[in-house]
Amino acid sequence: MCAAAVATPSFAQNAQSADTGPGVQEIIVTAQRQSQRLQSVPIAISAFTKDGLDKQQIRNPSDLQLSLPNITFTKTNFTSSSFTIRGIGDLCTGVTCDSATAIHINDAPLFASRLFEGEFYDLQQVEVLRGPQGTLFGRNATSGVVNFRTAKADLNGFSASGDAEYGNYNSVRVRGMVNVPLGDTLAVRAAGFYLKRDGYTKNLFDNSKIDDRDMYGLRGSLTWQPSSSTTIELMGQYFHEKDSRMRIQKQYCQEDPTGILGCLNTTRGTSTTNSNALLANILTSKEFFAIRGLPTAFALGSIYGPSVYGNVVNPADPRVVNTDFRPTYATSETVLQGVWRQDIGEKFNLRVTGNYQRTKVDSQQDYNLAVSDRTSYAAGLGALGAAGAGLLGPGLQAYLKPAASALIPQGPAGPLCTSLSEPSGTGIFGGHSTCASTPLDFDRSNQTQSSWTAEGVLTTKFDGPFNFLLGGIYGQFKVSENSYYVNSFGLDYFNGVVGAFSALGAGLPPAYLGTPFYRNNGAMNDGYKLTTFGIFGEAYWKMNDRLKLTVGLRYNNDKKSITARTTLASFLVPYGTADVFDSPYVGSYDADPGLAGNQLVQQRQSKFGEWTGRAVLDFQVTPDNLLYASYSRGYKSGGINPPLSPIFAVPENFNPEFVNAFEIGSKNSFGNGALQLNLTGFYYKYKGLQLSRIVARTSVNDNVDATIYGVEAEAIVRPVRELTINMNFSYLHTEVSQDKFLSNPRDFGAGRKDAVIIKDITNAANCAVASTSGNVAGVNAFVNTANQLINAGIPDPANPGKFLVSPGANLQGTTSFPAGGGIASTGAYSICSVLQSVAAATGGGAPFGGVTVEASGLPVNIRGNKLPNAPSLKFAAGVQYAAPVGALTLTPRVDLTFNGASDGTIFNGVIDRVPAFTQLNAQLQLDGPDKKWFIRGFIQNITDNNSVTGLYVTDQSSGNFTNVFTLEPRRYGIAAGFKF
């Protein structure tokens, strides 16, 4: 059994005063809000002390996944991350989404914490609870809890420790702590860390290194014990990072030469997306200018022309990129905490906790991780330069000179200027720009938030068989800023040139279209607020010395409100306007089409209230063997989808998710502690699991039912004091358990030959046309006929002599995608709204065998598909031998982790596969007498695997490329430290 159960150690707070003999040391945890032996807690839990973290080279939360069964961690888009436990992670994206894995510090909940960016330092221990924890740890803990326990100020004496490390990539890491008692009742403690290293990633564009680290953390704590029954603890910590961390490690694409999809559907590929699929390139194309009745001489290219990324090299190595925009990353987090512990007589204990958190993050990165070739822009830039110089007449000069001055201030052959992401919305036309010899495209994700919680927990210490716990918590979470921007020279060019012609045609003063960049403002002007409270309790009935029943119940209440909007080229803005929403023409913009009239913001509210709880029966077979069975109900509140560009209609809200979890487990110690073996089996019925997908450049969340089951085994073998072997193994099965039809953005034709995938030249979205009779020739003929109508122009029946769609687009007919591209349908550029009108005018396309036009693509049934980031198999093993060398101790250690393959999206396509990976670490440590000092040599990821932890697929207007997230490359170095 031990040989099969391959994993890593679960060390935690030592109950023994010294490590003097064989056997696994005692572990004390607080998974049930009271100090208990880990082996006595009827919960699947793993715990690590500071020493355990160092031994296994667990330096940050991402490394935890290498040492735990059925747990994965990955960064995700928009500066987020997902800590997945037993197949349940943060699959929901958006400011109103809640984390399925509850992150706590000293039992207090954190909201959208940046802890996953930092490094571990001066921790007492880390506890990871697997399975729903909806009673004691509260709202949204449907997958489990990660609880970080900081070291407290110690009244028992002065102590200090420190260590310094140097490794490859010029990595310097320093940690330190000092603890000072101030009399018999008061002590203070200060700790901190600093990390600085060079970048992991080479940039071919300028031969620089990016993705470096420059961060530090500080923590101060105070313990005051005015009496034996009263303890007051204060803690404050601050984290800061400012460097070139890459939010997205690498982009992959199997280029689609047609440009209709951007990237194909068979392999991730090492090409770049076809730029003719991108919004900026479509809106500046000759074809778009033609349907708008604008002079095509000002267009920057054609949708049928060469891709501006056609000559770009995209190496397969995820540590080599080609970008003309250096990433920037800045984040900070402040946590303040106070705890009052009060014994009330001999039978009651009261714990009151207050917690405050404030977090900021701001990240920018090249959107396409590729350098555009500006050659095809020459004619359009030349026309703009000539108009701005007055060579095409004073009338055009008055309108186009401001745009030319902003976009090409040194003329058509000079630098190209792009808007900066900034809140006024004026961008380049308000003087907020960055200029380069190449056309830039980049995004920005920034958020500022704050929260506070107050919690009280009363526990009993009765001598009899009955005890209980009662508690309540109240909290508020506010997001004062949450924006996602996409900037590109092409978008600026479109907004400047098309805005000028639009103002000229309407007889208005010179103007541009605002905002010149895409901005999804998910929480404006303190726009998102969460108010939450919970009331909970547990009762413990010890039926006899061996059998105990635990019953818990909790009521959760959440209220959410949000003010948000999405803008891009939404209305005309006269030059000189300080803020785009001060424009006299802003009345044409509607942020909330769901309400009558034009709204400048979308405002929504939602409320959720649910009961959760658990029941556990545990049986102490012997003092060293525990059996337990449990049922628990978990809940995560629903939320509000971000506002979309007016292209698709999707539900405004998404529902809560629920899980009914059944678990059986056994915790065992054999051979006087020489072997510790814990086994767990679980079965989950999930209702309304929240899943995210990209629609119209915005994340939209759906709900789906799922079934999950699996087994876990953890073992520690210590036959003699010097030798320790740690192992774990897990198996996981996940599947969607209901009929659920969603369109796959990679294949809007759903694998059908009798369908045509359309790239809409008015907004760069895709739609699909499908035959209702299986007539392949008919559906292609329908699209070709509609394109001929578009090319001839579509008159405006309300305005004789004018056109809804001007003639001259010269759209081509349907075309086949390349063999081996994974697309059975044909494709074409067209206008989806026109296709819908033609279908209606021809009786559903009757002359062509019948057709239907699907704005959001042809759906496929995802029933039976696996959940994302849920590998079926995981195992890990570690072995160390502490060999005495006189008064010294020499300890070699090796750790091996295998993480099985998983799926990156719910569609489970071959292209979505996250491959299995193996990581091997080793270190050699020499400890001085009584372990007062040490010297350590280490190596992580010995085989230098580029392990992918997760992926994200962009939407069609961005070309369907794949973002991947990876573990760190091989690291090695030497460290030394002391403690006294």
Side-chain angles (χ1 to χ4, degrees), residues 248 251 322-327 364-371 441-443:
I248 299 155
Q251 288 178 1
N322 192 6
T323 170
D324 50 2
F325 186 86
R326 184 175 179 84
Q364 295 187 99
Q365 184 165 337
D366 191 324
Y367 190 71
N368 293 298
L369 280 180
V371 181
D441 46 65
F442 54 92
D443 66 358

Side-chain angles (χ1 to χ4, degrees), residues 205 308-309 312 322-324 366 369-373 438-439:
F205 179 73
V308 298
Y309 301 129
V312 170
N322 192 6
T323 170
D324 50 2
D366 191 324
L369 280 180
V371 181
S372 300
D373 181 355
T438 56

Side-chain angles (χ1 to χ4, degrees), residues 633-634 636 655-660 684-690 703-707 737-738:
R633 179 171 174 81
K636 188 169 77 149
N655 295 326
E657 63 181 36
F658 301 89
V659 57
N660 291 308
Y684 292 176
K685 287 294 291 183
Y686 230 98
K687 178 73 174 177
L689 177 69
Q690 296 162 3
N703 294 87
V704 66
D705 296 346
T707 299
S737 58
Q738 71 169 115

Side-chain angles (χ1 to χ4, degrees), residues 392-650:
L392 303 182
L396 277 182
Q397 183 183 28
Y399 281 84
L400 288 172
K401 183 177 180 180
S405 299
L407 294 161
I408 48 174
Q410 298 181 34
L416 307 179
C417 297
T418 304
S419 288
L420 293 173
S421 306
E422 50 81 34
S424 78
T426 60
I428 190 173
F429 305 112
H432 311 286
S433 66
T434 179
C435 303
S437 60
T438 56
L440 298 178
D441 46 65
F442 54 92
D443 66 358
R444 179 188 180 194
S445 178
N446 69 313
Q447 186 177 92
T448 301
Q449 59 194 34
S450 61
S451 65
W452 64 267
T453 58
E455 182 180 49
V457 177
L458 178 70
T459 56
T460 63
K461 298 180 286 184
F462 299 149
D463 296 330
F466 178 75
N467 276 280
F468 66 85
L469 174 153
L470 290 175
I473 186 171
Y474 181 89
Q476 289 191 353
F477 172 53
K478 181 186 293 185
V479 179
S480 57
E481 170 62 26
N482 182 80
S483 287
Y484 179 68
Y485 302 82
V486 179
N487 299 68
S488 82
F489 174 77
L491 291 179
D492 285 323
Y493 186 90
F494 164 78
N495 286 291
V497 174
V498 176
F501 280 111
S502 299
L504 176 62
L508 301 175
Y512 59 92
L513 289 169
T515 56
F517 42 71
Y518 170 81
R519 184 185 186 189
N520 179 264
N521 194 347
M524 49 181 301
N525 303 323
D526 294 337
Y528 175 62
K529 183 177 181 180
L530 164 69
T531 300
T532 180
F533 72 85
I535 303 171
F536 55 92
E538 281 197 338
Y540 313 100
W541 179 260
K542 202 164 185 182
M543 302 176 186
N544 54 49
D545 290 341
R546 301 165 68 186
L547 188 64
K548 184 176 73 173
L549 175 67
T550 301
V551 178
L553 192 65
R554 181 185 188 103
Y555 176 72
N556 304 275
N557 185 281
D558 295 315
K559 295 180 181 179
K560 298 181 177 182
S561 62
I562 188 168
T563 301
R565 66 180 167 217
T566 296
T567 54
L568 170 63
S570 302
F571 49 88
L572 284 170
V573 182
Y575 284 92
T577 304
D579 187 289
V580 291
F581 283 91
D582 294 332
S583 168
Y585 315 119
V586 71
S588 63
Y589 169 68
D590 188 6
D592 193 350
L595 296 179
N598 285 25
Q599 316 295 322
L600 294 185
V601 296
Q602 183 191 80
Q603 294 180 313
R604 293 289 185 272
Q605 294 181 343
S606 58
K607 299 179 181 180
F608 307 93
E610 296 292 342
W611 291 91
T612 58
R614 69 169 182 149
V616 187
L617 188 66
D618 63 86
F619 180 63
Q620 197 75 49
V621 181
T622 75
D624 295 324
N625 303 93
L626 175 73
L627 295 176
Y628 68 90
S630 70
Y631 163 78
S632 58
R633 179 171 174 81
Y635 150 81
K636 188 169 77 149
S637 63
I640 305 159
N641 278 319
L644 289 181
S645 301
I647 299 172
F648 299 118
V650 299

